């Protein structure tokens, strides 16, 4: 099986590359794609760069050029659910674009015609994640993750997203990558470790916790790959 591992930022993917140690790099479309073998699988990794466009493009390349069978995303996120603290991990049950707004045509927020309103993640991979969390004695929340091309750093916007979409965490890539996976009918897994509160202090917290939270997500993902 060929497993694609995608993050948005270098910090989200580098700990996994360091763990693998040996890999090849190929540059394509102004990005780097890293290939290696691990736990009996062919692996291809990339960090897309920030946002829905770059991440959708990387996901497409992972399927079209590298023939990935499944895609696992790891990264950090802002917390919307009160139970989530910095360093906690969450997996998406489904994801939605909070900045998609076609209300003039009578569509609900987040809905784009001929796409899924909420993109589902793969139930088998989600069960595996729960098993891995139980083995590591880690608490793992499963909830809706909302994505948009905005860094959320204020209570008003934070609460709006939380209420409109019943979302537990916010970030900037999950729903776009999920949509690509849905179009290709490939299993999609979305893991995020909390880096900040998505409130007024989000920028400062993000700078402080990006690296440590990204590592938590990366380490969890490595454990998952060992069990696939
Ligand atoms: O890839 C982007 C990064 C922030 S933008 C989305 N990532 C981090 C998740 C995330 C997030 N998204 C929206 C963590 N907290 C979030 C939040 N709102 N509060 C960026 C731009 N330049 C430098 C660093 N990060």
């Amino acid at each position: 099986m060929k497993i694609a591992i995608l993050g948005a930022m270098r910090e989200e993917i580098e700990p996994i590359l360091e763990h693998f140690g040996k890999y090849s790099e190929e540059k394509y479309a102004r990005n780097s794609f890293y290939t290696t073998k691990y736990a009996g699988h062919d692996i291809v990794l990339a960090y897309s760069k920030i946002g829905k466009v770059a991440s959708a493009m990387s996901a497409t390349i992972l399927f079209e050029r590298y023939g990935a069978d499944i895609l696992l995303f790891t990264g950090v996120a802002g917390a919307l659910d009160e139970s989530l603290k910095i360093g906690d991990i969450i997996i998406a049950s489904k994801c939605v674009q909070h900045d998609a707004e076609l209300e003039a045509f009578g569509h609900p927020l987040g809905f784009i015609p001929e796409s899924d309103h909420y993109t589902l993640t793969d139930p088998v991979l989600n069960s595996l994640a729960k098993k891995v969390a139980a083995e590591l004695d880690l608490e793992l929340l499963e909830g809706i993750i909302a994505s948009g091309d905005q860094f959320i750093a204020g209570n008003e916007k934070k609460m709006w997203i939380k209420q409109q979409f019943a979302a537990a965490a916010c970030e900037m890539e999950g729903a776009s990558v999920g949509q690509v996976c849905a179009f290709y009918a490939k299993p999609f897994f979305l893991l995020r470790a909390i880096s900040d509160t998505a409130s007024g202090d989000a920028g400062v917290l993000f700078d402080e916790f990006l690296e440590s939270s990204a590592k938590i997500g990366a380490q969890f993902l490595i454990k998952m790959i060992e069990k696939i």
Side-chain angles (χ1 to χ4, degrees):
M1 172 144 66
K2 190 139 190 191
I3 302 174
I5 302 172
L6 185 60
M9 303 181 74
R10 176 189 297 279
E11 289 84 348
E12 293 168 335
I13 289 301
E14 210 152 56
I16 305 176
L17 288 175
E18 272 169 21
H19 181 85
F20 291 162
K22 249 182 75 181
Y23 48 83
S24 316
E25 178 179 358
E26 185 185 35
K27 289 196 190 325
Y28 185 72
R30 252 218 252 176
N31 212 346
S32 286
F33 293 84
Y34 306 92
T35 50
T36 190
K37 275 187 188 291
Y38 187 73
H41 299 296
D42 287 319
I43 314 265
V44 54
L45 302 99
Y47 66 93
S48 60
K49 302 187 287 295
I50 292 161
K52 292 194 298 176
V53 173
S55 57
M57 187 177 173
S58 291
T60 306
I61 293 169
L62 288 166
F63 292 126
E64 288 288 349
R65 188 176 173 88
Y66 294 97
D69 297 304
I70 66 172
L71 191 153
L72 316 178
F73 192 103
T74 177
V76 298
L80 302 178
D81 191 289
E82 282 101 55
S83 73
L84 284 171
K85 305 279 172 283
I86 288 168
D88 286 353
I89 50 176
I90 172 170
I91 58 170
S93 51
K94 48 190 183 173
C95 44
V96 62
Q97 295 183 57
H98 67 69
D99 57 354
E101 198 263 279
L102 282 75
E103 285 186 302
F105 305 101
H107 297 308
L109 285 167
F111 177 78
I112 293 173
E114 298 184 69
S115 296
D116 304 319
H117 190 182
Y118 287 81
T119 300
L120 294 174
T121 51
D122 184 67
V124 177
L125 291 169
N126 290 343
S127 315
L128 180 64
K130 285 174 207 165
K131 214 174 106 186
V132 169
E135 280 172 18
L136 297 173
D137 208 14
L138 272 176
E139 218 175 295
L140 178 69
L141 189 80
E142 183 177 14
I144 295 171
I145 295 186
S147 315
D149 282 326
Q150 297 161 2
F151 182 80
I152 308 304
N155 258 323
E156 203 177 319
K157 187 82 200 205
K158 170 183 173 171
M159 296 321 265
W160 181 86
I161 295 171
K162 188 181 166 195
Q163 277 152 21
Q164 290 293 333
F165 302 98
C170 62
E171 35 86 311
M172 302 175 65
E173 298 87 14
S176 48
V177 172
Q179 192 172 109
V180 172
C181 293
F183 288 170
Y184 283 97
K186 300 289 186 192
F188 171 51
F189 175 72
L190 175 55
L191 172 80
R192 293 278 182 172
I194 300 302
S195 57
D196 60 90
T197 55
S199 300
D201 54 357
V204 178
L205 291 171
F206 179 86
D207 284 341
E208 191 175 343
F209 295 106
L210 163 64
E211 215 176 287
S212 55
S213 292
K215 269 194 191 127
I216 291 169
Q219 272 154 14
F220 190 89
L221 206 81
I222 292 165
K223 291 274 180 284
M224 269 196 63
I225 292 161
E226 291 170 357
K227 297 235 147 55
I228 289 176

